[in-house]
Amino acid sequence: MNKLGDFLLEKGYTKVKLKLTKTNHFEIKATINGVKGLFILDTGASSSCVGFEAIDTFKLNAKDSEVKAAGAGATDMLTQISKKNTLKIGKWKKEKVALILFNLTHVNTALVTHNAQPVDGIIGADILKKSKAIIDYEKKYLFLKL
């Protein structure tokens, strides 16, 4: 382990391995409502998101939202919201997590075009802030405060 990792573990953090994709994104495995999925870690995304097609997979209770989503070249996308979800990343776990639901087709099309795996969603800044996240880009680890 490196000095940063040792220090953070002593301070009550847990570490999660990140995988760098061919599109230069970090992939992370997470569990929503007991179901495992694959996500992009996106510090620039204000909210964590899941694709519409994964509503049943992750047992989400979706309600229409007034908020329009934008990102990765798409704008004014219709969204839904799902509240009161359980999110687990490594040993870190949070109850009552709200997730934005929207059409992830444009994201997954871009990933597949570049020989990367499609994802179930995006872990955004909302979760990174709640977990007091620290990213070690060199060693490819995400540290989350337990």
Side-chain angles (χ1 to χ4, degrees), residues 25 52 62-63 78 81 91 111 138:
H25 291 96
F52 283 138
K63 295 191 185 324
L78 295 176
I81 189 164
K91 294 177 184 173
L111 289 171
E138 182 184 358

Side-chain angles (χ1 to χ4, degrees), residues 7 21 26 43 45-47 53 56 61 63 73 76 78 84 96 100 117 119 135 143:
F7 174 79
T21 68
F26 278 129
T43 60
S46 57
S47 301
E53 62 282 349
D56 291 337
N61 182 10
K63 295 191 185 324
D76 286 337
L78 295 176
K84 298 182 182 174
K96 299 179 184 171
I100 302 299
Q117 267 188 289
V119 295
I135 301 169
F143 291 88

Side-chain angles (χ1 to χ4, degrees), residues 12-32:
Y13 280 77
T14 185
K15 69 176 184 169
V16 181
K17 187 70 177 157
L18 298 171
K19 179 186 172 194
L20 190 62
T21 68
K22 293 178 181 179
T23 58
N24 217 23
H25 291 96
F26 278 129
E27 275 180 358
I28 189 166
K29 293 177 183 170
T31 303
I32 298 174

Side-chain angles (χ1 to χ4, degrees), residues 4-143:
L4 173 64
D6 290 337
F7 174 79
L8 291 172
L9 292 174
E10 285 174 15
K11 294 295 181 188
Y13 280 77
T14 185
K15 69 176 184 169
V16 181
K17 187 70 177 157
L18 298 171
K19 179 186 172 194
L20 190 62
T21 68
K22 293 178 181 179
T23 58
N24 217 23
H25 291 96
F26 278 129
E27 275 180 358
I28 189 166
K29 293 177 183 170
T31 303
I32 298 174
N33 300 328
V35 180
K36 293 179 184 176
L38 186 63
F39 298 83
I40 286 176
L41 187 68
D42 187 348
T43 60
S46 57
S47 301
S48 295
C49 311
V50 174
F52 283 138
E53 62 282 349
I55 289 173
D56 291 337
T57 304
F58 291 114
K59 307 171 200 157
L60 303 173
N61 182 10
K63 295 191 185 324
D64 287 338
S65 170
E66 298 293 317
V67 177
K68 301 279 190 207
T75 59
D76 286 337
M77 294 180 289
L78 295 176
T79 65
Q80 292 183 314
I81 189 164
S82 176
K83 298 179 180 178
K84 298 182 182 174
N85 298 290
T86 301
L87 176 64
K88 190 168 184 276
I89 303 171
K91 294 177 184 173
W92 183 86
K93 184 177 179 181
K94 184 79 174 166
E95 307 280 335
K96 299 179 184 171
V97 173
L99 297 166
I100 302 299
L101 310 170
F102 76 106
N103 186 339
L104 273 180
T105 303
H106 66 288
V107 172
N108 282 324
T109 298
L111 289 171
V112 170
T113 300
H114 291 91
N115 299 315
Q117 267 188 289
V119 295
D120 298 301
I122 297 164
I123 301 297
D126 56 340
I127 296 302
L128 297 174
K129 286 193 300 190
K130 282 180 189 168
S131 64
K132 299 181 179 168
I134 296 171
I135 301 169
D136 183 339
Y137 286 90
E138 182 184 358
K139 303 282 187 195
K140 297 181 184 79
Y141 280 106
L142 173 67
F143 291 88

